[in-house]
Amino acid sequence: MTFGQQVDIIINDDKKQRFVDRVLQDNAFWDRMPQIFSLGYALGGALVKVFVSGGSVKLDYSSAEDFIPLGWNSRRIDEGIFRSRFCQSGMYYTLFEKHGHDLGGNPKISCKLFRSPNSSDMGTEIPLGSLFPEMQPVISYPFGRKMFSYFHPAASNNIITDSGMGLSVFYSCRDTLKALDIAFDSLMREFILGRKRIIVPSSCIRTVVDPESGEVRRYFDADDEVYQALRCEDEKDLKIIDNTAELRVDEHVSAINALLNILCFQTGLSSGTLSFGSASGVRTAAEIESQENRTSRTVNSNRNIAAEFIEDIVRSILNAGAYIGELDDSETDIRVSFSKELDISIDSRIDRNIRLMDHGIIDTQKARENLADTVDV
């Protein structure tokens, strides 16, 4: 939901605007960002690194598990180590890039490469040029801005309160996720253990010889429609009893939905955002509005952080563009804006327009125009 709406990046310089648009397009920025935000929410953080290679500006995408923070100011993390892993010709390589600052406050990147015959350890350090001939062990940029941007969820980090790192949105609701897993497994077992079972008198069971082992096996022919003559002293012994257990599907679905509502509350979403099974039925306008507000507040809080995250990326791209000589290093105004409204359900949009008509705010024609892209009117 954070990156589900249109994102506009507006720069007050046409040349820089075209340059940034080209770099983002060439590096699959719009395709990769939904995945980056998903990793950021799941792992507590995600990063985009800007670098220069072959005279061009490139982007590299990483998750929090491949980053070790080393320093941060009151606003954001500005130093850290990136870890990248490769496998080539049966050998495992690990590249460490330490992003820091020199004495003048400019970005300084130190790189080291390690090789190991297995993936379980780091191995020994080898020359950087053995795998990356064009990469320098130490890279410095003549501008005072770091070359990476860090995104973290808006939820507070209640593990390390004085850290600039984020926390997974699921960290505080792990017990709920375990309970959901148990409830869903129980629902699956309900179908396995509740399969149809029929109690058949032993006199109705036929015998057949297994052609492979020669053993005599007994079975009940459920497709047999021919009359059979069976010897039985008591007629009640011939009764076939259906012993099938009743499936408790509704109880399981209700339990799963209750746990999902708890999960929604713990992750800052409106009740019913996550649901299992059919819709909960007709809801009043007040219910819809109250449920949308909680999700809207959560999404907007994360979008404020995401806007700064994207702005940091754009400024690093502009600095890299000035470094390779394609742009000047003048001050630039950048604005990152998201769509102001969340997508809401069809029923919600219909209900809202009906209320506007009832109060005389809009007429029927205007309501038709508002719903033209939603339903056939």
Side-chain angles (χ1 to χ4, degrees):
M1 289 185 291
T2 300
F3 207 69
Q5 300 292 325
Q6 177 66 34
V7 182
D8 296 322
I9 301 175
I10 302 174
I11 304 173
N12 65 341
D13 187 301
D14 291 340
K15 182 178 180 180
K16 293 181 179 180
Q17 179 80 61
R18 292 192 299 269
F19 179 82
V20 170
D21 291 341
R22 188 183 77 231
V23 171
L24 297 180
Q25 187 67 33
D26 292 344
N27 289 274
F29 178 82
W30 304 109
D31 295 331
R32 293 295 304 276
M33 286 309 291
Q35 178 187 3
I36 287 298
F37 281 115
S38 296
L39 290 173
Y41 287 124
L43 301 177
L47 302 100
V48 174
K49 178 177 57 178
V50 181
F51 64 99
V52 176
S53 176
S56 301
V57 179
K58 304 291 185 181
L59 302 182
D60 189 20
Y61 307 91
S62 302
S63 62
E65 63 180 355
D66 292 322
F67 179 76
I68 304 172
L70 297 179
W72 73 293
N73 52 35
S74 59
R75 187 177 181 185
R76 57 176 61 90
I77 294 175
D78 57 358
E79 292 185 7
I81 298 176
F82 286 87
R83 180 189 63 180
S84 304
R85 291 181 173 179
F86 314 91
C87 181
Q88 182 175 325
S89 302
M91 300 297 291
Y92 295 89
Y93 298 87
T94 305
L95 175 66
F96 291 99
E97 300 177 53
K98 180 181 178 181
H99 285 243
H101 299 91
D102 58 19
L103 296 178
N106 295 324
K108 179 181 178 182
I109 303 173
S110 303
C111 304
K112 290 187 178 183
L113 181 65
F114 294 81
R115 181 176 60 190
S116 173
N118 54 70
S119 59
S120 59
D121 56 59
M122 188 172 61
T124 58
E125 184 177 357
I126 62 174
L128 192 64
S130 59
L131 192 62
F132 305 100
E134 298 181 359
M135 183 177 291
Q136 301 296 323
V138 178
I139 305 171
S140 296
Y141 293 100
F143 43 79
R145 172 173 287 274
K146 58 187 176 59
M147 296 297 287
F148 68 90
S149 300
Y150 181 83
F151 169 80
H152 63 84
S156 300
N157 186 342
N158 53 16
I159 303 301
I160 307 176
T161 56
D162 59 347
S163 170
M165 297 188 66
L167 192 67
S168 170
V169 295
F170 302 113
Y171 184 84
S172 299
C173 50
R174 290 171 296 171
D175 53 346
T176 306
L177 294 174
K178 291 179 181 178
L180 275 168
D181 188 46
I182 293 173
F184 189 78
D185 288 344
S186 178
L187 177 62
M188 296 299 101
R189 286 195 300 270
E190 193 76 10
F191 286 96
I192 296 174
L193 299 177
R195 288 180 296 185
K196 195 172 188 66
R197 291 177 172 85
I198 299 176
I199 299 176
V200 183
S202 59
S203 56
C204 297
I205 301 297
R206 291 184 175 184
T207 59
V208 64
V209 179
D210 191 333
E212 296 182 0
S213 62
E215 297 180 358
V216 178
R217 300 184 181 274
R218 305 176 71 86
Y219 76 100
F220 173 72
D221 190 358
D223 298 326
D224 196 351
E225 299 178 354
V226 181
Y227 288 101
Q228 300 289 336
L230 301 174
R231 179 179 298 177
C232 185
E233 296 179 356
D234 195 345
E235 292 184 0
K236 68 178 182 179
D237 293 339
L238 288 177
K239 291 183 179 180
I240 297 176
I241 303 173
D242 188 352
N243 197 33
T244 303
E246 184 180 356
L247 296 178
R248 300 171 298 167
V249 177
D250 292 339
E251 290 83 350
H252 280 82
V253 171
S254 297
I256 292 174
N257 277 319
L259 290 169
L260 286 175
N261 281 331
I262 295 174
L263 183 64
C264 288
F265 173 77
Q266 292 174 322
T267 54
L269 301 178
S270 303
S271 177
T273 303
L274 305 175
S275 62
F276 182 76
S278 58
S280 58
V282 179
R283 296 177 295 168
T284 64
E287 290 175 332
I288 294 172
E289 185 176 359
S290 63
Q291 290 179 1
E292 289 173 358
N293 283 341
R294 183 173 174 82
T295 300
S296 177
R297 287 194 299 268
T298 300
V299 173
N300 287 334
S301 297
N302 284 282
R303 282 183 173 175
N304 291 335
I305 300 176
E308 290 190 8
F309 172 61
I310 296 174
E311 182 181 340
D312 270 354
I313 297 173
V314 173
R315 291 196 180 278
S316 297
I317 291 174
L318 293 177
N319 286 336
Y323 176 74
I324 62 177
E326 290 197 28
L327 302 174
D328 59 68
D329 57 355
S330 61
E331 288 293 328
T332 306
D333 291 332
I334 302 172
R335 181 167 61 88
V336 178
S337 61
F338 290 84
S339 176
K340 296 299 182 183
E341 294 184 357
L342 295 174
D343 285 337
I344 58 177
S345 64
I346 295 176
D347 292 339
S348 302
R349 296 184 62 178
I350 294 175
D351 181 81
R352 178 178 296 177
N353 280 273
I354 290 175
R355 285 187 291 137
L356 292 175
M357 285 193 300
D358 291 342
H359 289 81
I361 300 176
I362 62 174
D363 55 15
T364 305
Q365 181 60 33
K366 182 60 176 178
R368 289 176 179 270
E369 295 175 358
N370 293 341
L371 298 174
D373 60 339
T374 304
V375 293
D376 295 330
V377 291

